[in-house]
Amino acid sequence: PHISAILVRLKRLPDQLTLTIGDTGQPYRPSERPAPHDDAVAAAARERVLLSGGTFSVESTPWGALRISASWPLYKASFESLA
């Protein structure tokens, strides 16, 4: 199956900001060797999220969709310093 839709969700909770990107395409199988470019892009995204204090995950749903999630903790002081 090909991708027929992409979902991008940015969700702010009192203590966390989460970005989720998902599709409806072919199943993602981490055990299969990805194309070198795909591997580099995922590694770069993971590195940037982790360096900025967040968490990063990539998973495949049972129905074949790919879901990439990144989350960052929110601190009250960080918003006050922007004012």
Side-chain angles (χ1 to χ4, degrees):
H2 297 286
I3 295 172
S4 61
I6 294 175
L7 168 71
V8 178
R9 179 182 300 158
L10 184 62
K11 185 175 182 181
R12 184 185 181 276
L13 299 172
D15 62 345
Q16 182 176 342
L17 180 68
T18 302
L19 173 65
T20 304
I21 303 169
D23 70 27
T24 58
Q26 298 179 353
Y28 174 73
R29 295 180 181 89
S31 61
E32 294 179 4
R33 187 173 176 86
H37 174 45
D38 293 345
D39 192 34
V41 170
R46 178 183 304 276
E47 179 181 21
R48 287 185 176 114
V49 170
L50 296 178
L51 286 173
S52 64
T55 60
F56 184 87
S57 66
V58 179
E59 62 183 325
S60 182
T61 64
W63 57 90
L66 175 66
R67 184 177 304 138
I68 301 170
S69 297
S71 297
W72 295 268
L74 294 177
Y75 303 102
K76 186 176 180 182
S78 65
F79 289 110
E80 291 173 353
S81 66
L82 295 175

PDB file of all heavy atoms in Angstrom, residues 9-13 16-20 70 74:
ATOM      1  N   ARG A   9       0.663  16.259  14.221  1.00  0.00           N
ATOM      2  CA  ARG A   9      -0.022  16.742  15.424  1.00  0.00           C
ATOM      3  C   ARG A   9       0.994  17.352  16.373  1.00  0.00           C
ATOM      4  O   ARG A   9       2.003  16.733  16.685  1.00  0.00           O
ATOM      5  CB  ARG A   9      -0.725  15.587  16.132  1.00  0.00           C
ATOM      6  CG  ARG A   9      -1.438  16.027  17.410  1.00  0.00           C
ATOM      7  CD  ARG A   9      -2.083  14.875  18.130  1.00  0.00           C
ATOM      8  NE  ARG A   9      -3.055  14.244  17.256  1.00  0.00           N
ATOM      9  CZ  ARG A   9      -3.484  12.999  17.408  1.00  0.00           C
ATOM     10  NH1 ARG A   9      -3.033  12.254  18.373  1.00  0.00           N
ATOM     11  NH2 ARG A   9      -4.369  12.505  16.585  1.00  0.00           N
ATOM     12  N   LEU A  10       0.728  18.569  16.808  1.00  0.00           N
ATOM     13  CA  LEU A  10       1.530  19.240  17.819  1.00  0.00           C
ATOM     14  C   LEU A  10       0.626  19.429  19.028  1.00  0.00           C
ATOM     15  O   LEU A  10      -0.415  20.092  18.932  1.00  0.00           O
ATOM     16  CB  LEU A  10       2.040  20.585  17.299  1.00  0.00           C
ATOM     17  CG  LEU A  10       2.974  21.352  18.209  1.00  0.00           C
ATOM     18  CD1 LEU A  10       4.245  20.558  18.470  1.00  0.00           C
ATOM     19  CD2 LEU A  10       3.309  22.699  17.596  1.00  0.00           C
ATOM     20  N   LYS A  11       1.013  18.819  20.135  1.00  0.00           N
ATOM     21  CA  LYS A  11       0.158  18.831  21.320  1.00  0.00           C
ATOM     22  C   LYS A  11       0.931  19.402  22.501  1.00  0.00           C
ATOM     23  O   LYS A  11       2.046  18.972  22.797  1.00  0.00           O
ATOM     24  CB  LYS A  11      -0.286  17.403  21.635  1.00  0.00           C
ATOM     25  CG  LYS A  11      -1.256  17.288  22.763  1.00  0.00           C
ATOM     26  CD  LYS A  11      -1.723  15.847  22.899  1.00  0.00           C
ATOM     27  CE  LYS A  11      -2.740  15.699  23.990  1.00  0.00           C
ATOM     28  NZ  LYS A  11      -3.157  14.293  24.124  1.00  0.00           N
ATOM     29  N   ARG A  12       0.328  20.388  23.152  1.00  0.00           N
ATOM     30  CA  ARG A  12       0.936  20.982  24.339  1.00  0.00           C
ATOM     31  C   ARG A  12       0.152  20.569  25.566  1.00  0.00           C
ATOM     32  O   ARG A  12      -1.045  20.804  25.667  1.00  0.00           O
ATOM     33  CB  ARG A  12       0.944  22.510  24.244  1.00  0.00           C
ATOM     34  CG  ARG A  12       1.664  23.142  25.416  1.00  0.00           C
ATOM     35  CD  ARG A  12       1.565  24.659  25.359  1.00  0.00           C
ATOM     36  NE  ARG A  12       2.262  25.264  26.458  1.00  0.00           N
ATOM     37  CZ  ARG A  12       1.755  25.438  27.685  1.00  0.00           C
ATOM     38  NH1 ARG A  12       0.527  25.036  27.962  1.00  0.00           N
ATOM     39  NH2 ARG A  12       2.468  26.026  28.617  1.00  0.00           N
ATOM     40  N   LEU A  13       0.851  19.931  26.482  1.00  0.00           N
ATOM     41  CA  LEU A  13       0.309  19.599  27.785  1.00  0.00           C
ATOM     42  C   LEU A  13       0.954  20.540  28.790  1.00  0.00           C
ATOM     43  O   LEU A  13       1.906  21.248  28.453  1.00  0.00           O
ATOM     44  CB  LEU A  13       0.621  18.141  28.128  1.00  0.00           C
ATOM     45  CG  LEU A  13       0.032  17.104  27.166  1.00  0.00           C
ATOM     46  CD1 LEU A  13       0.562  15.717  27.491  1.00  0.00           C
ATOM     47  CD2 LEU A  13      -1.481  17.129  27.212  1.00  0.00           C
ATOM     48  N   GLN A  16       4.609  19.182  28.918  1.00  0.00           N
ATOM     49  CA  GLN A  16       5.247  18.511  27.784  1.00  0.00           C
ATOM     50  C   GLN A  16       4.704  19.019  26.454  1.00  0.00           C
ATOM     51  O   GLN A  16       3.529  19.324  26.323  1.00  0.00           O
ATOM     52  CB  GLN A  16       4.967  17.009  27.898  1.00  0.00           C
ATOM     53  CG  GLN A  16       5.588  16.165  26.844  1.00  0.00           C
ATOM     54  CD  GLN A  16       5.339  14.686  27.112  1.00  0.00           C
ATOM     55  OE1 GLN A  16       4.995  14.281  28.204  1.00  0.00           O
ATOM     56  NE2 GLN A  16       5.504  13.881  26.108  1.00  0.00           N
ATOM     57  N   LEU A  17       5.586  19.083  25.458  1.00  0.00           N
ATOM     58  CA  LEU A  17       5.221  19.404  24.087  1.00  0.00           C
ATOM     59  C   LEU A  17       5.543  18.172  23.246  1.00  0.00           C
ATOM     60  O   LEU A  17       6.655  17.651  23.314  1.00  0.00           O
ATOM     61  CB  LEU A  17       6.028  20.603  23.583  1.00  0.00           C
ATOM     62  CG  LEU A  17       5.751  21.057  22.153  1.00  0.00           C
ATOM     63  CD1 LEU A  17       4.343  21.635  22.050  1.00  0.00           C
ATOM     64  CD2 LEU A  17       6.788  22.085  21.722  1.00  0.00           C
ATOM     65  N   THR A  18       4.563  17.691  22.473  1.00  0.00           N
ATOM     66  CA  THR A  18       4.757  16.475  21.679  1.00  0.00           C
ATOM     67  C   THR A  18       4.426  16.743  20.223  1.00  0.00           C
ATOM     68  O   THR A  18       3.386  17.320  19.907  1.00  0.00           O
ATOM     69  CB  THR A  18       3.862  15.328  22.198  1.00  0.00           C
ATOM     70  OG1 THR A  18       4.178  15.088  23.558  1.00  0.00           O
ATOM     71  CG2 THR A  18       4.076  14.061  21.403  1.00  0.00           C
ATOM     72  N   LEU A  19       5.325  16.313  19.348  1.00  0.00           N
ATOM     73  CA  LEU A  19       5.122  16.363  17.910  1.00  0.00           C
ATOM     74  C   LEU A  19       5.016  14.927  17.415  1.00  0.00           C
ATOM     75  O   LEU A  19       5.899  14.110  17.677  1.00  0.00           O
ATOM     76  CB  LEU A  19       6.303  17.059  17.215  1.00  0.00           C
ATOM     77  CG  LEU A  19       6.303  17.032  15.687  1.00  0.00           C
ATOM     78  CD1 LEU A  19       5.123  17.819  15.131  1.00  0.00           C
ATOM     79  CD2 LEU A  19       7.622  17.575  15.152  1.00  0.00           C
ATOM     80  N   THR A  20       3.915  14.619  16.721  1.00  0.00           N
ATOM     81  CA  THR A  20       3.718  13.289  16.169  1.00  0.00           C
ATOM     82  C   THR A  20       3.444  13.420  14.680  1.00  0.00           C
ATOM     83  O   THR A  20       2.621  14.234  14.260  1.00  0.00           O
ATOM     84  CB  THR A  20       2.523  12.571  16.839  1.00  0.00           C
ATOM     85  OG1 THR A  20       2.732  12.547  18.250  1.00  0.00           O
ATOM     86  CG2 THR A  20       2.366  11.151  16.320  1.00  0.00           C
ATOM     87  N   ALA A  70       8.210  12.920  18.847  1.00  0.00           N
ATOM     88  CA  ALA A  70       9.238  13.648  19.578  1.00  0.00           C
ATOM     89  C   ALA A  70       8.541  14.428  20.679  1.00  0.00           C
ATOM     90  O   ALA A  70       7.491  15.039  20.444  1.00  0.00           O
ATOM     91  CB  ALA A  70       9.998  14.585  18.654  1.00  0.00           C
ATOM     92  N   LEU A  74       8.379  20.766  29.241  1.00  0.00           N
ATOM     93  CA  LEU A  74       8.167  22.219  29.323  1.00  0.00           C
ATOM     94  C   LEU A  74       8.389  22.661  30.765  1.00  0.00           C
ATOM     95  O   LEU A  74       7.974  21.992  31.704  1.00  0.00           O
ATOM     96  CB  LEU A  74       6.742  22.588  28.907  1.00  0.00           C
ATOM     97  CG  LEU A  74       6.389  22.325  27.449  1.00  0.00           C
ATOM     98  CD1 LEU A  74       4.923  22.673  27.208  1.00  0.00           C
ATOM     99  CD2 LEU A  74       7.282  23.125  26.524  1.00  0.00           C
TER     100      LEU A  74
END
